[in-house]
Amino acid sequence: MHEEKNDKEELEAFNPGTGGAAERDQSAVASYCQTLKTKEFWKDRFPCTYWIPTYNLESFICDVIAGVTTALTVIPQGIGYAPLAGLPLQYGLYGSIMPGFTYCLLGTTKEATIGPTAVNSIMSFNYAGGNPSKAVTLGFFAGIIEFIMGLLNLGFLLQFVSGPVITAFSSAVSIQVITSQIKGIFGLAYPGRGFVKVWIGLFRNITQTSVPDLVAGIISLAILYALRKLKELKVFEGNDPEAKRAKIVKKTKWLLSISANCIVVIIGCGVAF
């Protein structure tokens, strides 16, 4: 009789349809509901409540510097990613500005830059087809889903995505980005979107290449590469790395390096105008 009772308890514990599993589920739901009522839970979801009480002028100055340097990188990228989504350039500008205002209140990682990415742009085009209204609706519902996942602490799901998968996906996206921009560099305009159609069209229309556009594209790429590598060069710093001159030169090279995208955009707009 005792053995039958133990067997019954074990079945209730492991069978999802029995009372043991149901009681555990109810207990877990009740525990989570109790967590929702705590102040710490909501403070963790709104991290700004931790730093706002101690915010001062020094923090404000540092934030201004960080905001300017981030904008010099994110805004040109956002404008460049708009064509990937099949949207007008101004939507890339909107997408690079608004997330920053939201993330400063809800974000927890100060090293992250929030804005449009190549992956988001390509996936947006696949589902919205370059329609601004559909793209905005897609972004709205995607935000709701991410918000719910954040409340439920579902970030652990990323642990099931292996490193090689992420690396392969990122490499494929970089190839897709190059493919999407190749027509513009050669100054060509022909129908077709996608890896195969774009490259076939490129070789078919290569004789119609616009030389000024090609030269401008190559020069822009060279400037971008040179400015990115500038901070690694030990020139004009002198022999003493702690000297005032060396620090000023390092800061100047660092600023030029992070604002490379913005500099190229401004120079390109000026030349085109």
Side-chain angles (χ1 to χ4, degrees):
M1 190 72 176
H2 181 68
E3 292 179 356
E4 292 180 358
K5 183 178 180 181
N6 290 340
D7 293 340
K8 184 178 179 180
E9 291 178 353
E10 290 179 359
L11 288 174
E12 290 180 351
F14 290 101
N15 190 346
T18 59
E23 290 178 0
R24 287 199 304 273
D25 292 342
Q26 292 177 359
S27 177
V29 172
S31 177
Y32 187 75
C33 291
Q34 290 295 328
T35 304
L36 291 176
K37 299 178 182 179
T38 61
K39 184 188 298 184
E40 289 74 16
F41 175 86
W42 293 105
K43 289 185 69 174
D44 290 339
R45 297 306 181 277
F46 295 91
C48 59
T49 55
Y50 287 103
W51 54 263
I52 284 180
T54 60
Y55 200 72
N56 52 34
L57 181 60
E58 182 179 358
S59 299
F60 174 75
I61 295 174
C62 294
D63 285 343
V64 169
I65 297 173
V68 171
T69 54
T70 302
L72 292 175
T73 301
V74 175
I75 291 178
Q77 285 182 352
I79 296 175
Y81 286 144
L84 284 180
L87 300 174
L89 298 181
Q90 63 266 27
Y91 285 91
L93 184 63
Y94 304 152
S96 61
I97 293 177
M98 293 307 299
F101 290 103
T102 305
Y103 196 76
C104 71
L105 299 176
L106 302 179
T108 56
T109 305
K110 63 181 184 299
E111 291 83 3
T113 56
I114 307 301
T117 63
V119 177
N120 290 341
S121 301
I122 294 173
M123 294 185 69
S124 175
F125 179 81
N126 290 335
Y127 291 100
N131 187 310
S133 300
K134 292 182 179 179
V136 171
T137 305
L138 177 64
F140 176 75
F141 283 105
I144 291 178
I145 294 172
E146 291 184 3
F147 181 77
I148 294 174
M149 292 178 68
L151 288 178
L152 298 178
N153 291 325
L154 297 180
F156 70 90
L157 294 176
L158 290 177
Q159 297 178 5
F160 297 98
V161 182
S162 63
V165 172
I166 296 176
T167 302
F169 186 76
S170 301
S171 300
V173 169
S174 64
I175 295 174
Q176 182 64 28
V177 171
I178 295 173
T179 301
S180 66
Q181 302 298 318
I182 197 68
K183 290 193 294 185
I185 292 179
F186 282 85
L188 298 174
Y190 53 86
R193 187 181 176 99
F195 182 83
V196 176
K197 293 181 179 180
V198 169
W199 286 100
I200 291 177
L202 173 67
F203 289 110
R204 286 179 176 175
N205 299 274
I206 195 68
T207 56
Q208 303 176 13
T209 298
S210 174
V211 177
D213 288 345
L214 180 60
V215 172
I218 294 175
I219 292 176
S220 298
L221 291 174
I223 294 175
L224 284 172
Y225 182 79
L227 291 177
R228 292 289 176 86
K229 294 294 182 180
L230 181 62
K231 62 182 179 181
E232 300 178 7
L233 300 177
K234 305 295 182 181
V235 293
F236 307 117
E237 296 182 7
N239 298 325
D240 185 7
E242 299 298 327
K244 184 177 180 180
R245 171 188 171 183
K247 293 181 179 179
I248 294 175
V249 172
K250 287 181 180 179
K251 286 290 185 181
T252 303
K253 291 192 294 184
W254 173 79
L255 182 61
L256 290 173
S257 178
I258 66 170
S259 56
N261 295 335
C262 189
I263 292 174
V264 170
V265 170
I266 292 174
I267 293 176
C269 292
V271 173
F273 181 77

